[in-house]
Amino acid sequence: MRHTRIAAALLALTASLLASIAALGHGNEDHGKDTKVQATAAGGAPPASNANEAPMRLPDGDLFVPKAVQRQLGIRTVRVEGGELSVGTELNGRVIAQPGAGGRVQATQAGSVVPAGKAFPQPGQRVRRGQRLADLLPIVGSLELAGQRAQQAELAALVTLAERRVARLEQLEGSVPAKDIESARIELQALQQRRVAIGAAVGVAQPLRAPVDGVVSAVHVVAGEVVDARALLFEIVDPTRLAVEALAYDNGLGARIVDAEALAGERRIPLQLIGAGLQLREQALPLQFRVLGGDVPLAIGQPVKVFARLSTTAQGMAVPRAALWRSAAGGSQVWVHERAERFSPRRVRAQPLDARSVLVGEPLQPGDRVVVEGAALLAQIR
């Protein structure tokens, strides 16, 4: 029995020594990550992750992103569905005033501009058609002014002579023909009108009035400034009647547009096609769209993107524009959420649908979950 107990103790001591040697051989290293990389490289699903694991790009180009990291990056996905969709096109445009909805106030001749009241109208001030905005004092040279005054004096003398002639003829009424009296009266009236017209043109300010209802969008003059003829002084725009002009390089595009919208920053603005021009400008035809929705925060000359939906259709899937990201080679790609922690890149060819969506075909399939938020952040994982 004693020999049996000694043998058992020796066996236990030997097992303890072997366990210690094995622990020292591993050096407290964690080989779980190597196992995970081997599994994912072979195309299999990685083992369950924990919060301490980092995202990584796998040898086949896919991404391994733990759930905790997905929440930190704000990853969001949507399931895409296929179908027959209307194809769209994207155009560069700028905001203009509708024809007849804007106006300009210009100087009709050289002169000095002065306010009609206490000050000029300010940008953003609403004005009415015919409202007096400023006065223009014509510039008259000394020689021209002397000539006008001499002409006034001459007309005054002619009016005096005509008045005396009419008075004499009226005294001889009945002994002179009536036609002579009537002719003298008409001549006197014409001379009086000429004297009034000449007097009104000498040193009298010309009122500058608003041609349309709207809002003053620009003021190009200061009080007392001397301007030349045809100088632009004020610009007036009706903010409720704006338009967008876009250039189309397809001559038949206007006939195929069903509806359109503009994207100004993050704001989507509905548009209605007014018509297409017939004269090329920069090798393209200008298209004009009416801005719908009343008073919108747009400025004349502001560049916008116009997305027009056409009558032609194509088979594919609608994907939000936010899902697209550009690879190093310059192509468009999307991330497909293959499994819980695995994302696969897919190179796609996108066509515009509207301001928020694009049409994508293969290799996407109906039912794929596509990343729509955080796609650019996933592309930075190495």
Side-chain angles (χ1 to χ4, degrees):
M1 292 293 294
R2 182 179 180 183
H3 293 290
T4 303
R5 287 195 298 269
I6 293 174
L10 290 175
L11 289 174
L13 180 60
T14 303
S16 176
L17 291 174
L18 291 175
S20 300
I21 294 172
L24 291 174
H26 282 79
N28 293 327
E29 296 177 359
D30 182 10
H31 294 274
K33 185 175 181 179
D34 295 337
T35 305
K36 177 181 62 179
V37 172
Q38 293 174 1
T40 52
S49 62
N50 56 62
N52 296 325
E53 290 182 334
M56 70 177 69
R57 187 176 294 271
L58 305 177
D60 59 356
D62 290 0
L63 297 180
F64 168 73
V65 184
K67 285 291 186 181
V69 177
Q70 294 181 34
R71 287 190 291 269
Q72 292 175 359
L73 298 180
I75 303 300
R76 298 291 183 271
T77 63
V78 296
R79 191 180 300 276
V80 296
E81 301 295 338
E84 195 79 13
L85 301 175
S86 297
V87 178
T89 186
E90 180 178 343
L91 305 172
N92 294 320
R94 64 183 182 91
V95 180
I96 62 173
Q98 289 187 26
R104 296 178 175 179
V105 179
Q106 296 177 270
T108 56
Q109 60 180 321
S112 176
V113 183
V114 295
K118 294 182 179 180
F120 289 133
Q122 300 299 315
Q125 179 179 336
R126 187 169 292 276
V127 296
R128 304 291 298 176
R129 180 178 182 180
Q131 180 176 339
R132 189 175 178 181
L133 305 180
D135 290 329
L136 178 66
L137 299 175
I139 297 177
V140 181
S142 58
L143 293 178
E144 185 179 358
L145 182 60
Q148 290 177 347
R149 289 177 177 175
Q151 191 174 5
Q152 280 183 301
E154 182 181 356
L155 287 173
L158 292 175
V159 168
T160 302
L161 293 175
E163 289 175 345
R164 292 177 180 178
R165 182 169 179 268
V166 170
R168 288 195 304 268
L169 291 175
E170 288 178 347
Q171 291 177 357
L172 299 175
E173 188 175 0
S175 60
V176 296
K179 65 178 182 178
D180 292 343
I181 300 176
E182 186 67 23
S183 175
R185 289 173 178 171
I186 293 175
E187 183 179 355
L188 173 60
Q189 185 178 5
L191 290 172
Q192 290 174 338
Q193 291 177 350
R194 286 180 60 190
R195 183 177 63 178
V196 172
I198 296 263
V202 177
V204 178
Q206 297 182 359
L208 302 174
R209 303 184 182 276
V212 294
D213 297 339
V215 172
V216 177
S217 63
V219 178
H220 303 285
V221 67
V222 296
E225 182 178 354
V226 178
V227 298
D228 295 327
R230 302 177 63 181
L232 180 60
L233 307 179
F234 304 97
E235 293 185 68
I236 301 173
V237 174
D238 188 348
T240 63
R241 300 175 60 189
L242 297 179
V244 172
E245 183 181 69
L247 296 179
Y249 293 91
D250 182 359
N251 295 348
L253 183 65
R256 294 186 285 122
I257 293 179
V258 177
D259 56 34
E261 61 181 350
L263 187 63
E266 295 297 327
R267 184 183 179 90
R268 300 171 64 182
I269 302 169
L271 303 177
Q272 180 184 14
L273 180 65
I274 299 176
L278 297 179
Q279 185 174 358
L280 290 178
R281 183 192 307 168
E282 300 176 4
Q283 304 302 317
L285 287 179
L287 302 177
Q288 284 196 4
F289 300 86
R290 181 181 293 109
V291 175
L292 304 179
D295 196 352
V296 294
L298 293 175
I300 300 297
Q302 178 179 348
V304 295
K305 286 289 186 180
V306 177
F307 298 91
R309 187 167 63 90
L310 307 180
S311 57
T312 55
T313 60
Q315 190 73 24
M317 285 148 286
V319 175
R321 289 178 177 270
L324 297 179
W325 59 279
R326 288 197 170 274
S327 63
S332 297
Q333 297 193 11
V334 298
W335 291 109
V336 176
H337 197 187
E338 297 282 2
R339 287 191 290 274
E341 297 179 334
R342 190 184 183 101
F343 296 86
S344 177
R346 302 284 177 83
R347 184 183 297 272
V348 296
R349 183 177 180 181
Q351 293 180 274
L353 282 179
D354 52 37
R356 297 295 175 89
S357 304
V358 294
L359 177 68
V360 174
E362 294 181 352
L364 284 186
Q365 299 297 328
D368 285 344
R369 297 199 67 88
V370 175
V371 176
V372 295
E373 291 186 25
L377 297 176
L378 290 177
Q380 297 178 12
I381 297 176
R382 294 291 181 266

